[in-house]
Each structure stands twice: as C-alpha cells, then as structure tokens.
C-alpha cells in the first residue's frame, strides 16, 4: 500500500516533468516494500536513484546497439577461435574492453580470403564494445562510400565525416570491394585522414596491402593511406579456409573421423 498522505497522481506528473521514467514506473512497488519492511527514508531514496541510473545505462546501451547496425547473431561466444589459430582469443578479449586502443584512435585491420570470419569477428567485437559503453557503427564500405560521395556532391563531405566522430569505432567491412575510380576512393582517403590518431577504424579486406593499389586511385595515395592506418594498428591475418566450406567437409566425413583441423600438417 502506498502512503495515503500524498497525491499519487501529482507525484507521477512531477516524475514525468523531471524526466525520471524509471522511478515513475517503480515507486509504488518500492514504496510498498519500504513501508512493509520498514526501510529508512534515505535507503528508499537511494534505491530509487540507483534504479533510475541503471535504467538509463540500459537505455543508452540499447540506443547504441540500435544505431550500430551490427550483423545479427554474430557474437564472440559463437565465434570458433580454433578455426583461426593465428588469432589469440585473449588478445581479442582485451580489444573488446576498448580502452587500450579506442582512447588513442588506434586501428584494427583484418585480412583474409572470403569466408574466414572477418565480418563475424568484426561485428562481434563491435557488439562487445557497445556493451562496454563505446559507440560503434558497422557499415559495408561501399554503402559508406556512396553516402560520403553524395555528401560531397552537396559540398557536405567534411560535415558528414565530422558526424562520424561520435562513433569511437567505425567498422568498414570489405574495403577491397570499393570501386577503383578516383572520385569514389578519395572519400575513404579523406575519412582515414580525418580520423587519424583520433578515432579508430576497423577495416576488413580480402586483399592485403600489396593489392591496395587497386583500392586507391594512385600509388602515393595508397602509401599515405596505408601509412596512417598502420601507424597505430593491430593486424589480424586470417588466412584460413572458408569456415562454412570446412564445416561442410567435416560434416561429410561423418562422426568418428578426426576433423581436418586436428590433423598434423607435415608439409612445409
Ligand atoms: P568473411 O567476412 O571473412 O568473408 P564471414 O565472417 O562472413 O567471413 O564468415 C562466413 C560465415 O561463416 C558467417 O556465417 C560466419 O558467422 C561463419 N564463420 C566464419 N568463421 C567463423 C568462426 N571462426 N566461428 C564461427 N563462425 C564462423
Ligand atoms: Mg565479410
């Protein structure tokens, strides 16, 4: 039972005006408990404040998740690290905390053939970072290039790039698929320059740097872009066979046979 000597309707309105929706929703329940259990007034007030804070944090993370456009269902839990033995799970977990690299605008680059788990790992890392309070945007590189190009046509390129500053991490998936024509690729060049040492990029690409001459319009631009990207960067070389293909092969082998990755490689 709530205390009879206050106007509950008026309190509810006040809590709305004060923008305390969590307290507004929970106070009757908390008050009833407090009365029943004889909580001191300060404890009751502290419990309400804590509740509002926790709800705010939850809503903020939910907003950041919605804006991040991550790939659905790709998590670090569902990522099979044994498929990419060259990558240390401990290192990925450390990156998922964010502090060590996002604070200084360092980058993460993932290279490897299609199907090796680059997009999965990038999105899963983005999810962990959002859950840890960072802001992330996952985008296919071609989509972002199109947006930035159209911004440039409206003489808004700088503003559009500045708007992306709110994201501590910008994930550019499939850099190599950007078309080779000069106009398109230079927006990526501008973006790399603008974020350099301030805001982080995570780039996935099927081709290593050697082939990036086909990504940027000329060699000087390629060199300058690569130079900035790698200056403070962690590089994951994910040179593994397609995960799906391998799974299919292992299924075909049937139970009782050792999986391909358990066999000892004698070559080299
Ligand atoms: P890439 O971006 O390198 O081409 P993807 O991340 O799109 O590869 O992976 C292709 C599919 O295989 C996705 O469904 C992904 O979830 C899955 N996959 C790839 N690697 C792994 C892995 N190590 N553990 C679990 N699933 C994986
Ligand atoms: Mg991919």
């Amino acid at each position: 039972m709530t205390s009879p000597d206050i106007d509950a309707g008026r309190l509810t309105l006040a809590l709305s005006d004060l923008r305390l929706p969590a307290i507004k929703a929970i106070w009757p329940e908390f008050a009833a408990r407090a009365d029943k259990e004889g909580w001191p007034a300060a404890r009751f007030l502290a419990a309400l404040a804590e509740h509002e804070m926790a709800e705010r944090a939850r809503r903020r993370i939910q907003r950041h998740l919605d804006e991040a456009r991550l790939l659905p269902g790709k998590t670090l839990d569902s990522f099979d690290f044994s498929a990419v033995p060259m990558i240390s799970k401990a290192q990925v977990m450390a990156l998922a905390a964010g502090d060590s690299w996002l604070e200084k605008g360092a980058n993460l680059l993932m290279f490897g053939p299609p199907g090796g788990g680059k997009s999965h790992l990038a999105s899963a890392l983005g999810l962990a970072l959002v859950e840890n309070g960072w802001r992330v945007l996952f985008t296919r590189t071609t989509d972002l290039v199109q947006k930035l190009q159209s911004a440039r046509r409206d003489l808004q390129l700088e503003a559009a790039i500045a708007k992306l500053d709110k994201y501590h991490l910008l994930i550019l998936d499939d850099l190599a698929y950007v078309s080779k024509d000069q106009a398109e690729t230079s927006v990526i060049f501008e973006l790399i320059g603008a974020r350099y040492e301030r805001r982080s990029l995570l780039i996935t690409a099927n081709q290593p740097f050697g082939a990036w001459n086909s990504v940027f319009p000329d060699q000087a631009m390629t060199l300058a872009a690569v130079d900035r990207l790698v200056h403070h960067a962690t590089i994951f070389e994910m040179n593994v066979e397609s995960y799906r293909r391998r799974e299919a092969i292992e299924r075909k082998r049937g139970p009782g046979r050792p999986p391909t990755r358990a066999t000892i490689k004698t070559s080299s």
Side-chain angles (χ1 to χ4, degrees), residues 24-36:
K24 179 179 143 186
I26 206 84
W27 78 263
E29 188 189 321
F30 272 30
R33 244 185 92 190
D35 288 345
K36 196 167 142 227

Side-chain angles (χ1 to χ4, degrees), residues 213-236:
N213 269 327
S214 63
V215 174
F216 292 97
D218 62 56
Q219 178 133 23
M221 235 189 226
T222 308
L223 285 177
V226 170
D227 198 58
R228 284 179 190 157
L229 282 177
V230 301
H231 187 191
H232 310 280
T234 301
I235 298 177
F236 286 170

Side-chain angles (χ1 to χ4, degrees), residues 16-82:
S16 274
D17 271 5
L18 291 167
R19 294 182 209 290
L20 297 167
I23 293 181
K24 179 179 143 186
I26 206 84
W27 78 263
E29 188 189 321
F30 272 30
R33 244 185 92 190
D35 288 345
K36 196 167 142 227
E37 298 173 15
W39 293 3
R43 177 166 167 209
F44 172 62
L45 183 58
L48 288 177
E50 287 294 329
H51 182 73
E52 184 71 48
M53 300 265 286
E55 273 299 295
R56 264 183 208 189
R58 199 189 53 73
R59 284 198 307 268
R60 187 183 326 112
I61 287 179
Q62 188 56 52
R63 269 200 317 277
H64 294 172
L65 270 180
D66 293 343
E67 77 184 4
R69 316 266 188 105
L70 299 164
L71 301 175
K74 306 298 178 194
T75 64
L76 289 176
D77 275 346
S78 66
F79 190 75
D80 174 6
F81 282 89
S82 73

Side-chain angles (χ1 to χ4, degrees), residues 10 14 46 78 89 105 147 152 166 177 198 216 228 243:
R10 197 178 140 82
S78 66
K89 182 174 181 182
K147 270 195 204 124
R152 185 170 55 188
K166 71 179 180 201
Y177 289 157
R198 293 190 313 109
F216 292 97
R228 284 179 190 157
Y243 188 78

